[in-house]
Amino acid sequence: KNLIDGPTCALLADLARQCGIAQRREAMFAGEHINTTEDRAVLHTALRAPRGAALFSDEVHGVLDAMLDYAEQVRDTERSGIRHVVNIGIGGSDLGPAMAVEALKQYAGEGPRIGFASNVDGCQLADVLATADPRRTLFIICSKTFTTLETRTNALAAREWLSGKLGPKAVPAHFAAVSVNAKAMDDFGVHPDYRFAMWDWVGGRYSIWSSIGVSLAIAIGTDHFEDFLCGAAEMDQHF
């Protein structure tokens, strides 16, 4: 469609070499701070690398193992009682999981129904909850800082809805979170066993590969989620 022929591809490859793409690629995999605007490493590649094959492997796979174990517990609807999972986030904490859940829905099987709420307009959350049974609903708050206005507004609304239906003591059993802000999760009422870490070097638009992907893991199960990571790792090696 774009009329790119062999000679044009060769010229583009020459341009990439002249721009130092190979050196920038190596710097990224090495954990150098190639995100110059925020002075951060860019290591989403470490999130999908095989165990022991990339930087921070122990930390990454420790969180991944815990996240997948939790996802399997929730996915077993007879054991967990959960039939409806609502992911509360915005930007990369919403768009990536929502896209992947839709794209891979043929692998969902009999797991819980997955919904998403990102808009600060309360109508979206109200629509998601219109057919929800509070006793069988789990909310996952996805926010690196746990302070993002839209996410926090929806999370508070969800907590108020659940408390109104089941009482405040029910909150810890029906909320999980992905964040680095332990105090904010404590204050909100997230149980310590239902929270998962992410790292400063994970950019939001790449965070589906981190524990932000917990809703996807619940949707498609551990085996398919690991296949998802392996496919990304293969593309990293291709790159």
Side-chain angles (χ1 to χ4, degrees):
K1 291 182 179 179
N2 294 294
L3 305 180
I4 296 176
D5 55 15
T8 302
C9 282
L11 289 168
L12 288 169
D14 285 341
L15 178 61
R17 282 188 284 271
Q18 291 173 29
C19 291
I21 293 295
Q23 291 79 13
R24 291 169 186 252
R25 178 195 63 203
E26 297 309 314
M28 180 182 74
F29 278 97
E32 295 182 23
H33 288 204
I34 66 168
N35 178 344
T36 55
T37 58
E38 297 178 335
D39 191 27
R40 294 178 181 175
V42 181
L43 280 172
H44 49 280
T45 54
L47 298 172
R48 58 244 192 156
R51 199 178 301 267
L55 296 173
F56 304 109
S57 183
D58 289 345
E59 295 95 319
V60 166
H61 282 272
V63 172
L64 177 62
D65 290 344
M67 184 269 278
L68 290 176
D69 181 64
Y70 177 72
E72 286 299 316
Q73 292 177 41
V74 174
R75 186 173 167 77
D76 184 348
T77 55
E78 293 302 318
R79 175 183 173 188
S80 68
I82 299 299
R83 299 297 175 88
H84 190 188
V85 174
V86 181
N87 186 98
I88 298 177
I90 196 168
S93 297
D94 168 77
L95 295 169
M99 177 194 70
V101 166
E102 172 65 20
L104 301 176
K105 62 185 177 183
Q106 66 267 36
Y107 300 110
E110 300 299 322
R113 176 165 53 107
I114 312 294
F116 294 87
S118 61
N119 198 321
V120 74
D121 183 337
C123 290
Q124 186 187 35
L125 181 62
D127 288 344
V128 170
L129 297 179
T131 58
D133 178 348
R135 296 168 302 166
R136 297 182 175 276
T137 300
L138 170 70
F139 297 95
I140 303 175
I141 305 168
C142 293
S143 175
K144 184 186 290 189
T145 63
F146 218 83
T147 59
T148 306
L149 175 62
E150 295 88 347
T151 300
R152 186 161 180 81
T153 299
N154 279 325
L156 290 170
R159 187 177 68 178
E160 182 179 356
W161 175 83
L162 188 85
S163 296
K165 301 287 187 180
L166 302 180
K169 291 184 178 180
V171 168
H174 291 268
F175 279 85
V178 180
S179 179
V180 299
N181 191 339
K183 183 180 185 304
M185 288 187 283
D186 287 340
D187 293 343
F188 189 91
V190 179
H191 192 284
D193 292 342
Y194 304 155
R195 57 180 70 172
F196 305 97
M198 60 186 304
W199 297 274
D200 186 57
W201 39 262
V202 179
R205 71 199 62 155
Y206 305 114
S207 60
I208 182 64
W209 314 103
S210 73
S211 46
I212 289 291
V214 62
S215 58
L216 175 62
I218 293 170
I220 64 176
T222 293
D223 289 345
H224 289 129
F225 191 85
E226 289 180 341
D227 286 345
F228 179 67
L229 295 180
C230 286
E234 289 179 7
M235 289 307 299
D236 289 334
Q237 292 306 307
H238 172 70
F239 175 53

